[in-house]
């Protein structure tokens, strides 16, 4: 059975960095969920308008379909995806059994500083508060772990790799 990890959190939490490092370390296929957004979603965010559930539904279904295809191929994956709400994670879980979530958590201040320093991304720092408003932390019945974004990405990857190895 393939392994599927979704590195989740608000914009600027380091999802892409950690997910890419984890995929490289473990030899897993990587996907950046931002690449699944239709142009209308990106344009909306660039205008400073938060996405709503209706905007996110086709996007989440496309990511779940990608995971499902990799599962059918027996290919393990790591996806960088915000997965802010429980119902979003429920959709992503339809892609494969036992999807594992790694929530990169931090304070609005820490993540806001990161976003302000970031360039070349369509997500404006002004939308961060809407993501924190939507964020529903992992629940006890969800497979996953919450990690502190103030730890270096390499340390987070070390922890995730060890945890995944122990679950094999």
């Amino acid at each position: 059975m393939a392994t599927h990890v979704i590195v989740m959190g608000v914009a600027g939490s380091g999802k892409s960095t950690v997910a890419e490092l984890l995929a490289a370390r473990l030899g897993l296929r990587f996907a950046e969920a931002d690449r699944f957004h239709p142009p209308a979603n990106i344009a909306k965010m660039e205008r400073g308008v938060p996405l709503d559930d209706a905007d996110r539904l086709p996007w989440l279904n496309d990511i779940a379909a990608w995971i499902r295809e990799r599962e059918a191929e027996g290919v393990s994956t790591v996806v960088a995806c915000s997965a802010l709400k429980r119902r979003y994670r429920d959709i992503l879980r339809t892609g494969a059994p036992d999807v594992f979530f790694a929530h990169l958590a931090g304070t609005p201040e820490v993540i806001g500083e990161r976003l302000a320093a970031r360039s070349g991304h369509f997500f404006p720092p002004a939308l961060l508060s809407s993501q924190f408003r939507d964020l529903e932390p992992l629940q006890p019945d969800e497979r996953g772990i919450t990690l502190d974004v103030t730890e270096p990405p390499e340390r987070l990857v070390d922890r995730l790799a060890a945890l995944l190895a122990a679950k094999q």
Side-chain angles (χ1 to χ4, degrees):
M1 181 166 64
T3 298
H4 303 282
V5 179
I6 297 178
V7 179
M8 62 168 280
V10 298
S13 61
K15 297 180 299 289
S16 298
T17 300
V18 171
E20 284 184 280
L21 288 170
L22 182 64
R25 166 98 50 97
L26 301 180
L28 308 180
R29 178 97 43 97
F30 169 73
E32 171 56 65
D34 285 345
R35 294 199 176 103
F36 290 80
H37 274 301
N41 281 10
I42 293 173
K44 192 172 182 179
M45 288 183 279
E46 285 176 335
R47 290 192 312 272
V49 179
L51 298 180
D52 58 26
D53 289 351
D55 296 321
R56 289 186 176 112
L57 183 59
W59 171 69
L60 292 163
N61 284 327
D62 286 348
I63 297 164
W66 183 86
I67 293 169
R68 190 174 306 107
E69 291 166 7
R70 303 300 77 76
E71 173 71 11
E73 297 167 351
V75 174
S76 295
T77 66
V78 178
V79 180
C81 178
S82 55
L84 297 174
K85 295 181 181 181
R86 169 70 183 250
R87 66 179 166 263
Y88 300 170
R89 296 189 295 272
D90 289 344
I91 293 168
L92 294 169
R93 274 189 280 273
T94 67
D98 299 326
V99 170
F100 185 86
F101 291 89
H103 177 195
L104 303 185
T107 66
E109 295 76 22
V110 167
I111 293 175
E113 288 174 15
R114 289 178 173 197
L115 272 180
R118 183 166 81 172
S119 64
H121 194 278
F122 62 83
F123 190 91
L127 288 182
L128 183 60
S129 63
S130 72
Q131 290 218 323
F132 272 103
R133 229 180 358 263
D134 284 349
L135 179 63
E136 296 172 359
L138 290 172
Q139 298 302 301
D141 66 326
E142 293 185 276
R143 288 187 73 237
I145 186 171
T146 300
L147 301 166
D148 184 346
V149 300
T150 61
E151 289 192 52
E154 295 77 12
R155 185 172 303 148
L156 297 175
V157 171
D158 289 343
R159 290 184 61 197
L160 279 170
L163 183 64
L164 294 169
K167 291 187 178 300
Q168 296 294 340

